[in-house]
């Protein structure tokens, strides 16, 4: 079992012990968090599903990220990560939600933000937390690090509620 699989299994186990559910809202990871979670047998006891919101339109329509947030702060921002986590929580009614938005490269989006900049959000009944990361490496490495960061944040947050 890989480090990511072990972390995903631990997160799912902790949530199941508490009778809590999980959902994801992913952008730059393109479903990799959901894939890591569903690779674990029994994940359906906890993991309700997720949305891959690669475009702003999907962020607005399915995750209810306000258009004004995207216009003012861009898709790669703590404000958007927070809105994504809260939006998926409201839509799917999960207890804990994880969101990821960032620039995985190889090139930027023209905003001047660095490739590797990723925001990870986590919403729970106790509130929403967003972490800023600046990962290095190629596209695959940045995406893998973002998955690990999201699962780690979820594992920390599960103990808060």
């Amino acid at each position: 079992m890989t480090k990511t699989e072990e972390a995903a299994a631990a997160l799912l186990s902790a949530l199941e012990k508490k009778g809590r559910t999980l959902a994801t809202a992913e952008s730059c990871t393109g479903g990799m968090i959901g894939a890591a979670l569903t690779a674990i047998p029994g994940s359906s006891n906890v993991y309700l599903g997720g949305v891959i919101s690669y475009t702003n339109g999907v962020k607005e329509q399915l995750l209810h990220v306000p258009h004004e947030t995207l216009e003012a702060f861009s898709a790669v921002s703590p404000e958007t990560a927070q809105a994504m986590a809260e939006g998926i929580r409201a839509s799917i009614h999960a207890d804990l939600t994880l969101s990821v938005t960032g620039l995985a490269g190889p090139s930027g989006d023209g905003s001047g933000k660095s490739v590797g900049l990723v925001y990870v959000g986590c919403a729970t009944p106790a509130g929403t937390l967003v972490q800023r990361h600046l990962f290095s490496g190629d596209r695959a490495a940045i995406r893998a690090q973002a998955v690990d960061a999201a699962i780690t944040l979820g594992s920390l947050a599960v103990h808060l509620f």
Side-chain angles (χ1 to χ4, degrees), residues 70-93:
L70 294 165
E71 286 291 313
F73 303 106
S74 86
V76 181
S77 67
E79 293 83 1
T80 297
Q82 177 177 344
M84 289 171 64
E86 293 171 353
I88 194 73
R89 189 165 182 274
S91 294
I92 295 186
H93 306 289

Side-chain angles (χ1 to χ4, degrees), residues 29-92:
T29 50
M32 292 171 65
I33 299 168
L37 294 167
T38 58
I40 308 302
S43 60
S44 61
N45 295 332
V46 172
Y47 184 61
L48 302 179
V51 171
I52 300 169
S53 57
Y54 217 60
T55 67
N56 286 354
V58 173
K59 287 175 180 67
E60 290 179 42
Q61 293 168 17
L62 296 181
L63 300 176
H64 312 291
V65 175
H67 179 77
E68 298 77 20
T69 298
L70 294 165
E71 286 291 313
F73 303 106
S74 86
V76 181
S77 67
E79 293 83 1
T80 297
Q82 177 177 344
M84 289 171 64
E86 293 171 353
I88 194 73
R89 189 165 182 274
S91 294
I92 295 186

Side-chain angles (χ1 to χ4, degrees), residues 11 15 34 44 46-47 66-67 78-79 89 99 114 118 124 144 147 159:
L11 171 58
L15 285 164
S44 61
V46 172
Y47 184 61
H67 179 77
E79 293 83 1
R89 189 165 182 274
S99 68
S114 299
V118 174
T124 72
V147 170
H159 300 293

Side-chain angles (χ1 to χ4, degrees), residues 110-138:
S111 68
K113 294 179 180 177
S114 299
V115 169
L117 178 63
V118 174
Y119 292 95
V120 178
C122 181
T124 72
T128 306
L129 180 66
V130 176
Q131 293 179 332
R132 179 187 185 275
H133 298 274
L134 188 56
F135 299 123
S136 61
D138 63 10

